[in-house]
Amino acid sequence: MSDVADKPSASKGLKSLRLTPTASIAGIILIFWILVAFFGPALAPYGEAEIIGESFGPIGGEGILGTDKLGRDILTRLLYGVRTTLFLALITTVISFVVGVVLGFSAAILRGWFDICISRLVEAFMAFPSTMLALVVIGAMGTSITVLIMTVGLVLSIGVFRVSRAIGMDISVMDYVESARARGEGVWWIITREVLPNAMPPLIAEFGLRFTFSILFLSGLSFLGLGVQEPAADWGLMVQENMGGIFLGSSSALIPAACIASLTICMNLIVDWFQQRQQGETVLEKME
Amino acid sequence: MLQLIVNRCLQGLLTLVLASIIIFAATEILPGDVAEAILGQNRNDAAALEALREELGLNRPAIVRYFDWFFGILQGDLGVSLSTDRPIADMMSGRIWNTARLAIMTACVAIPLALILGLISAIRAGGVLDKSLAVTTLSLIAVPEFFIGLGLMTIFAVELKWLGANANIRPYYDFGRIVHAMALPVMTLGFAVLAHMLRMTRASVINIFTSPYIEMAVLKGIPKRRIVMRHALPNALSPIFAVIALNLAYMVSGVIIVETIFAVPGLSRLLIDGVALRDIPLIQACAMLFGAVYIVVNLLADIFSIIFNPRLRFPK
C-alpha cells in the first residue's frame, strides 16, 4: 500500500526537476564558471597583474586570448576576474535577502505602524532610480569594496523587501499561520517555521533574478570606473580598461563583456526554467 | 477627475521633497564633509578645516543647510562645484541638450516600434514571429548595455565603418552627420528599452484579450482588426502608459552607460565625474535633476492613466 502511495509522488518529484535542453546547457555553463571561480587562479598561466608583452596583443599571440591595455594576459585576468564578479554578486544578493526578507516578512506579519513606516520609506527610495541612489552613496563615501558591497546590497534589498512583503502578506492570512499565532508563537518562530518554508519557491526564483541583476549592476559600476578598482581583476573593470582597444582591432574589451553576458543569460534561462517548473507543479497539484 | 489629478500632483511634489531629503541625507550621514574633501591631503590641518567650514557655512546645523540647499534649487541656484569652482547650473546648461537629444531620439524610435511589435506579438501569440521576438528580447534584457554597445560599435563603426563611434555632436553638424553619429547610441539605448517595453505591451494586451468583453466581441463575430483597435487597445492604453513611463525612467540609468561608451558629453558624464572626484554639490545637483525627471515622468504616466482609464477615477 505504501509502495503504491509513494510511487506517483516520487515520479512527480522527478518530473518537477526534469531539465530542459536549454536549462541543462545554461546549467553546465554556470557550473563551468563556478568551477573556474574555485580553481581559476591555479590554472592561470600568469599572475593577476603580471605584464607579459605588448599592449593589446592579438589573440593567439603572447597570451592565448591576447593581452590588455597594459600588456597583461586576458585569459589570466578572466580566470581571476570571475572570482571577484561572482563573489561580489553573491554577497550583495545575500545581504539584500537577509535585510529584505526579514523586514518584508516582519512587515507582513506585524502589520500596523511597523509596516506603514517601512513601506513608506521604501516607496520614497523607489521614487528615484536605483543607479542614482548607488552613485550618490559611492560619491559621498568613495570607492572601496566595503562601500560597494553595502551600497549594492541595500539598493537590491529595496526590491527584495517589496517582493517578500507581498509573498508574506499572502501567506500570513493562511490558517496555519493563524493557528501558530493563536498558539502564541513569536514573530521569529512564525517567520522561520511557517512563512519561510512556504515562501521558498518564489524566493528562490527572486534570488536568481536579484543575483543576475547584481552581476549587471556591479559590472556596470565597474565599467564606469566606480566599482572594483585596479589592479584587481573584475570583468566589468576589464571592459572599462580595454574599451579604447576596440579601435585598434583588439577584442580585449569584448571578451570579458561576452563572459558577463554568458553568465547573465544562463542565470535568466535557469530562473525561467525554475519558475515554469514550479508553476507546472502547482497546476498539477491543483488538478489532483 | 480633476480632484484626482491634483491629488496625484501633490503626491508627486511630496515625493520630490522626499527624494531631495534622501539625496541630502545620503551625503550627510557619512564621515567627513565637503571641507575635508576640498582640503584632501591637508585635512589634518584643524585651523584650515575650521576656516573653510566657516566660509562654506558648514558649521550650521544640517537642517538649516538642507533648507538653504533646497530653496536654492527652487530658485535655480544649484550651488558651486568643488572640482571646477564654477556654478553647477552653468556646467549643466551646455550638457542638458546632449542628454535630452539622446533620450528624445531613442524614445521616438523605440516607443512606436515596441508598441507595434508588442501588439503584433500579442495578436499572433505563439506564432513564429512572437517566439523569435520572445527569445530576442529575453537575451537583450539579460545582457549588460555595454556588451550591446561595444558589440554594435565593433561591428558598425570599426569593422564596417558605416556609423560613427563618437556621439559628441558639434554645433556645425548637419542632419546627416548627426544621424551618422547618433545612430549607435540610440540603437544601444533603444534595444534595452525596446525589449522591456515590447514584453510588457504584449503581456498587457494578452491580459485584456482574456477578459469576458473581448470574448463577447468575438462571439458577436466582430472582425479581429476591429476587436483589437476598438475594444482591446483603448483599455490597454493605461497599462501601456505605465510601461512607457517605466522605460523612460529606465533610460535615466541606461543613458549613463551609453554616454560613457560613445563619449557623449552629457549630464550623466558630469555625474560620473562628480562621483569620481567626490564633488558632493555636483553629485547632489545631478542626482536631484535625474530624480526629478524620473518622478515627473512617472507622474505624467499616472495622469494619462487616470484620463484614459475611467475605472481609476473612482477609487474604492
Side-chain angles (χ1 to χ4, degrees):
Chain A
M1 189 63 206
S2 68
D3 272 341
V4 180
D6 279 344
K7 258 188 178 171
S9 70
S11 69
K12 198 186 89 188
L14 270 176
K15 202 176 177 184
S16 69
L17 282 172
R18 201 189 63 215
L19 286 158
T20 57
T22 15
S24 24
I25 294 170
I28 289 168
I29 296 175
L30 204 64
I31 289 168
F32 169 75
W33 283 128
I34 292 170
L35 288 177
V36 168
F38 276 107
F39 302 110
L43 300 171
Y46 304 98
E48 189 177 10
E50 192 183 334
I51 292 168
I52 61 157
E54 295 278 291
S55 65
F56 296 128
I59 291 177
E62 216 80 51
I64 299 167
L65 291 174
T67 53
D68 73 354
K69 185 178 73 177
L70 298 175
R72 294 170 297 193
D73 184 34
I74 296 279
L75 180 65
T76 305
R77 285 183 72 75
L78 276 183
L79 293 177
Y80 274 96
V82 65
R83 216 173 229 206
T84 327
T85 307
L86 283 181
F87 170 75
L88 286 181
L90 189 66
I91 195 165
T92 47
T93 319
V94 168
I95 289 174
S96 73
F97 263 73
V98 172
V99 177
V101 170
V102 169
L103 287 180
F105 282 175
S106 309
I109 292 165
L110 289 173
R111 308 278 169 104
W113 62 268
F114 183 78
D115 180 27
I116 292 171
C117 287
I118 296 190
S119 295
R120 288 295 163 280
L121 191 68
V122 163
E123 270 166 33
F125 276 111
M126 297 276 298
F128 66 118
S130 50
T131 323
M132 233 28 82
L133 202 62
L135 288 181
V136 170
V137 177
I138 292 172
M141 296 189 77
T143 46
S144 76
I145 292 288
T146 330
V147 172
L148 192 68
I149 291 174
M150 295 316 285
T151 313
V152 175
L154 288 180
V155 168
L156 290 175
S157 66
I158 293 170
V160 177
F161 168 82
R162 281 169 61 93
V163 170
S164 46
R165 179 176 173 273
I167 297 170
M169 283 284 186
D170 282 346
I171 295 177
S172 68
V173 293
M174 295 286 175
D175 292 341
Y176 51 79
V177 178
E178 291 291 327
S179 62
R181 241 189 272 231
R183 284 202 306 274
E185 305 288 3
V187 175
W188 185 249
W189 199 93
I190 294 177
I191 290 180
T192 51
R193 298 293 188 81
E194 304 287 354
V195 180
L196 204 56
N198 290 293
M200 256 356 235
L203 279 186
I204 291 173
E206 186 62 21
F207 190 88
L209 287 178
R210 293 291 151 188
F211 182 72
T212 319
F213 182 71
S214 179
I215 294 175
L216 288 175
F217 200 74
L218 282 161
S219 60
L221 285 175
S222 292
F223 173 75
L224 295 171
L226 303 172
V228 180
Q229 299 292 316
E230 287 256 37
D234 171 82
W235 287 354
L237 182 66
M238 287 174 73
V239 180
Q240 189 241 0
E241 287 169 342
N242 301 317
M243 212 165 49
I246 284 187
F247 301 102
L248 305 169
S250 164
S251 51
S252 48
L254 278 175
I255 294 171
C259 288
I260 298 170
S262 79
L263 209 54
T264 49
I265 289 178
C266 290
M267 274 305 296
N268 262 330
L269 289 174
I270 289 172
V271 172
D272 215 42
W273 161 79
F274 180 79
Q275 277 174 328
Q276 273 175 8
R277 284 286 138 194
Q278 291 305 320
Q279 274 168 8
E281 200 182 19
T282 49
V283 170
L284 271 176
E285 277 168 0
K286 272 178 193 164
M287 282 163 71
E288 275 168 11
Chain B
M1 185 162 85
L2 197 66
Q3 176 75 45
L4 215 59
I5 291 176
V6 170
N7 273 346
R8 185 61 190 79
C9 286
L10 288 177
Q11 247 179 56
L13 271 179
L14 189 69
T15 325
L16 264 176
V17 174
L18 272 178
S20 75
I21 293 174
I22 290 174
I23 290 173
F24 193 82
T27 52
E28 196 59 40
I29 49 168
L30 312 160
D33 61 7
V34 173
E36 285 183 30
I38 295 177
L39 287 178
Q41 301 270 316
N42 304 324
R43 77 181 65 168
N44 294 324
D45 185 350
L49 206 58
E50 199 50 41
L52 195 60
R53 281 197 182 131
E54 190 70 43
E55 189 194 323
L56 295 171
L58 290 173
N59 287 335
R60 297 170 301 161
I63 194 127
V64 175
R65 277 180 291 128
Y66 167 72
F67 280 112
D68 201 32
W69 175 72
F70 185 71
F71 287 113
I73 286 183
L74 287 186
Q75 290 160 9
D77 171 21
L78 298 175
V80 177
S81 158
L82 295 183
S83 50
T84 62
D85 228 5
R86 286 172 54 202
I88 294 169
D90 288 0
M91 291 167 72
M92 280 182 166
S93 59
R95 289 165 173 259
I96 283 182
W97 179 225
N98 286 329
T99 301
R101 175 170 40 216
L102 180 59
I104 292 168
M105 282 173 90
T106 309
C108 288
V109 176
I111 292 175
L113 204 60
L115 294 187
I116 292 168
L117 288 176
L119 210 56
I120 295 173
S121 282
I123 294 169
R124 305 214 181 287
V128 180
L129 183 73
D130 178 42
K131 278 184 179 160
S132 45
L133 277 176
V135 175
T136 320
T137 51
L138 196 70
S139 349
L140 279 178
I141 290 171
V143 302
E145 288 110 342
F146 55 76
F147 178 66
I148 302 175
L150 293 177
L152 288 174
M153 195 191 232
T154 312
I155 297 169
F156 291 108
V158 180
E159 298 294 331
L160 298 171
K161 294 192 170 42
W162 287 352
L163 300 165
N166 187 320
N168 186 359
I169 304 289
R170 308 276 176 208
Y172 54 82
Y173 278 17
D174 59 10
F175 183 71
R177 198 141 172 220
I178 291 178
V179 170
H180 180 262
M182 293 296 288
L184 285 180
V186 168
M187 270 161 83
T188 309
L189 192 55
F191 270 136
V193 182
L194 183 81
H196 278 282
M197 222 183 318
L198 198 158
R199 290 176 78 88
M200 289 160 116
T201 310
R202 179 184 179 276
S204 62
V205 173
I206 282 185
N207 188 24
I208 283 166
F209 276 165
T210 56
S211 49
Y213 74 93
I214 296 288
E215 206 174 335
M216 181 67 195
V218 175
L219 291 174
K220 279 194 333 200
I222 297 171
K224 197 164 186 182
R225 175 188 296 265
R226 196 177 152 79
I227 293 178
V228 172
M229 298 312 284
R230 297 278 304 171
H231 295 245
L233 205 53
N235 284 298
L237 276 179
S238 147
I240 285 173
F241 277 123
V243 170
I244 293 176
L246 205 70
N247 283 288
L248 286 179
Y250 167 80
M251 264 165 55
V252 169
S253 44
V255 91
I256 298 177
I257 302 274
V258 173
E259 284 191 3
T260 307
I261 299 176
F262 295 99
V264 181
L267 282 180
S268 40
R269 276 314 301 168
L270 200 63
L271 174 63
I272 298 299
D273 293 344
V275 174
L277 296 168
R278 302 190 64 181
D279 186 341
I280 289 166
L282 184 61
I283 300 171
Q284 285 175 333
C286 288
M288 196 59 224
L289 188 69
F290 277 114
V293 171
Y294 187 90
I295 290 166
V296 169
V297 168
N298 277 320
L299 175 68
L300 286 178
D302 279 0
I303 292 175
F304 277 118
S305 293
I306 291 170
I307 294 172
F308 283 97
N309 188 350
R311 265 175 293 187
L312 290 178
R313 278 177 230 160
F314 306 102
K316 281 168 266 177

